[in-house]
Amino acid sequence: MIPWAKPGHGAVAHTTSYYAASANPSPERPPLKGDIEIDILVVGAGYSGLSTALHLVEKGYKVAIIEAARVGWGASGRNGGQIVNGLNASLQTIKRRYGADTANFVAGLVQEGGEIIRERVKTYDIQCDLKDGNVFTAYTGAHMRELEERLNLWAGYGIRNQEMLDKAALRKHINSDAYAGGMIDHSGGHMHPLNLALGEAAAFEKLGGTIYEQTPAVHVDTNAAKPVVKTEGGSITCKTLVLCGNAYLGHVVPTLTPRVMPVSTQVMATEPLGEERANDLLPTDVCVEDVRYILDYFRLSGDKRMLFGGGTVYGGTDPSDIRAKLQPNMDKVFPQLRGVKIEYAWSGNFALSFSRVPQMGRIGNNTYFAHGYSGHGVTGSHTFGRILAEAIDGDRSRFDVFENVPWYPFPGGRLFRVPYSVVGSWWYTLRDKLGV
């Protein structure tokens, strides 16, 4: 079990991130006290849980959420804030592994998460600095060929929002000499991730939903006719249980533990750069990520800071010095920022599945789960939340497709999954450096 989920550990605040420091006002919700019953209980107030719960209350269900810390405390409130379409696994990989029908199905929903986010922001007037535009950058000719293959592949599925950028065209978006070129996805975008989560939570509560913060699940009984979740201060019996703890669920549900591995990634935020300097770096205010196996990602915040992230630590531990880890990478992309003050630096975990395909399924008849977005959770979680809500409401057509996609444990089990993944990342990093 992760440290903050231990009984009696006490209240947990948000991490010391830029997002937490600039978050919109939100109430501190009390923990659960006593024993209650509810139609539907969702465990986890991140994007997966909030998306599922909001779709369900819109359909008229009585729904409660329990959250071990605060709304958006985990990956949903710490990520790079980028709306990146697609899954970690490419459509080509999905077609090769699972067949053309599954690839066609996935292609039909890879842009859905971004559409849901924009609809939520508009419908509920969520103030989260939402912007359009997502650029993928290439360091080598091999990277450029990879991007062109992706553009052509997606176009073959009718997705035509992407455009290749040579070095000169890329310069109009990113004032850097680091790249050989890139590709823009006009349907991508970026926003303040914690404020999005807080806005979705407020919308859920406005429609009658209840959120209990500082309420970690300490035991889950999925075998009962009505699932029961015990917490530090009480218990909740429900007709339907939805597990959305993702990388932070720990070992509370042993059935799910071997399915994913926590992986940490890091982000830092500069001091405010001012309009002129910020616009010189990213003239079109897009978000950016490169296509290397261990990638960098960056964008401007609403108050014109450079938010720069990257790195991977398998197993979910934090590096000793985040600034020292990320600063050389930022300096390589933007030498103009050498010496700029770094005001925030933080780390957070996402859940990696071995196949890089997110997982959705059931434990018994009345417990649903979704996890394993493998670094593409901003959009994937919103899509999966809608699909979970559809299934609970009686339409299992899309849920069944994902439930039937095979999952594979990490080689070596829990003991050796980290060294196995590290060796694999070394190999792919070497390929990136060699340009093959």
Side-chain angles (χ1 to χ4, degrees):
M1 188 181 295
I2 51 181
W4 56 262
K6 290 181 179 177
H9 192 72
V12 180
H14 281 288
T15 186
T16 54
S17 68
Y18 162 72
Y19 299 135
S22 58
N24 295 331
S26 64
E28 291 193 19
R29 301 163 177 92
L32 174 71
K33 298 294 182 183
D35 303 324
I36 66 171
E37 292 193 18
I38 191 76
D39 287 348
I40 301 170
L41 173 64
V42 177
V43 176
Y47 290 150
S48 290
L50 291 168
S51 177
T52 304
L54 186 50
H55 281 295
L56 287 168
V57 294
E58 288 174 332
K59 295 175 182 291
Y61 288 94
K62 298 295 183 183
V63 187
I65 302 174
I66 61 169
E67 163 58 42
R70 301 290 307 278
V71 168
W73 183 89
S76 299
R78 306 188 195 193
N79 63 79
Q82 302 202 14
I83 298 173
V84 179
N85 294 308
L87 308 181
N88 186 308
S90 69
L91 291 175
Q92 185 176 21
T93 298
I94 291 171
K95 181 178 180 180
R96 185 177 67 251
R97 289 179 183 165
Y98 312 118
D101 288 346
T102 301
N104 288 330
F105 168 77
V106 171
L109 55 77
V110 292
Q111 294 180 300
E112 186 172 341
E115 293 167 358
I116 293 171
I117 290 170
R118 290 182 174 90
E119 183 272 328
R120 293 300 191 213
V121 169
K122 181 179 180 180
T123 299
Y124 297 109
D125 191 26
I126 299 174
Q127 302 302 308
C128 61
D129 302 320
L130 180 62
K131 303 286 180 64
D132 290 329
N134 167 217
V135 169
F136 299 89
T137 56
Y139 279 99
T140 66
H143 290 160
M144 286 294 286
R145 290 190 293 274
E146 177 183 332
L147 285 172
E148 192 156 9
E149 287 173 2
R150 170 177 166 158
L151 181 146
N152 292 330
L153 178 67
W154 282 42
Y157 287 102
I159 305 170
R160 302 181 183 277
N161 303 100
Q162 300 171 335
E163 175 187 355
M164 291 298 296
L165 304 170
D166 61 18
K167 191 175 183 69
L170 181 65
R171 195 64 180 258
K172 296 177 182 178
H173 300 281
I174 308 167
N175 187 9
S176 172
D177 290 323
Y179 305 114
M183 181 184 77
I184 185 168
D185 184 345
H186 297 286
S187 62
H190 58 101
M191 43 68 207
H192 189 300
L194 180 54
N195 280 338
L196 175 62
L198 295 176
E200 291 174 337
F204 169 70
E205 290 174 316
K206 186 177 181 179
L207 294 177
T210 303
I211 301 175
Y212 300 98
E213 293 184 322
Q214 310 295 344
T215 304
V218 297
H219 183 265
V220 178
D221 182 0
T222 60
N223 294 320
K226 291 184 177 181
V228 180
V229 176
K230 292 184 180 180
T231 72
E232 295 179 10
S235 67
I236 302 180
T237 301
C238 56
K239 296 176 182 177
T240 303
L241 175 62
V242 188
L243 301 172
C244 295
N246 210 32
Y248 291 96
L249 189 61
H251 308 308
V252 176
V253 184
T255 303
L256 299 181
T257 302
R259 285 175 166 262
V260 293
M261 175 174 61
V263 177
S264 72
T265 184
Q266 292 74 49
V267 189
M268 64 183 187
T270 69
E271 63 187 335
L273 302 175
E275 289 280 345
E276 183 176 352
R277 190 178 187 188
N279 293 340
D280 178 65
L281 296 172
L282 292 172
T284 57
D285 202 7
V286 293
C287 65
V288 183
E289 65 174 66
D290 65 53
V291 297
R292 296 175 300 169
Y293 188 78
I294 305 296
L295 54 83
D296 295 327
Y297 50 90
F298 53 90
R299 66 185 185 89
L300 295 172
S301 65
D303 60 353
K304 301 301 180 181
R305 302 169 187 266
M306 179 63 69
L307 303 178
F308 196 96
T312 297
V313 182
Y314 295 100
T317 58
D318 296 338
S320 58
D321 191 333
I322 295 172
R323 290 176 175 84
K325 180 177 182 179
L326 296 181
Q327 185 87 50
N329 296 358
M330 186 175 76
D331 290 347
K332 179 180 178 181
V333 177
F334 293 118
Q336 313 94 303
L337 289 179
R338 283 198 177 100
V340 71
K341 183 179 180 182
I342 305 299
E343 293 195 344
Y344 301 92
W346 66 97
S347 186
N349 291 348
F350 63 87
L352 181 74
S353 71
F354 180 64
S355 67
R356 272 53 173 182
V357 176
Q359 302 167 14
M360 180 185 298
R362 286 186 301 169
I363 304 171
N365 292 322
N366 301 321
T367 299
Y368 294 75
F369 68 88
H371 63 195
Y373 303 106
S374 303
H376 283 66
V378 172
T379 53
S381 58
H382 283 85
T383 306
F384 271 39
R386 174 182 279 174
I387 295 173
L388 284 170
E390 290 170 354
I392 293 167
D393 193 44
D395 178 4
R396 292 172 48 89
S397 56
R398 299 208 293 172
F399 176 88
D400 286 345
V401 176
F402 271 108
E403 185 179 33
N404 292 326
V405 171
W407 72 275
Y408 305 96
F410 285 87
R414 294 187 63 225
L415 182 62
F416 296 109
R417 63 185 182 180
V418 171
Y420 171 89
S421 300
V422 169
V423 170
S425 71
W426 286 346
W427 165 243
Y428 285 107
T429 299
L430 177 62
R431 283 173 58 91
D432 285 329
K433 290 181 178 179
L434 296 176
V436 297

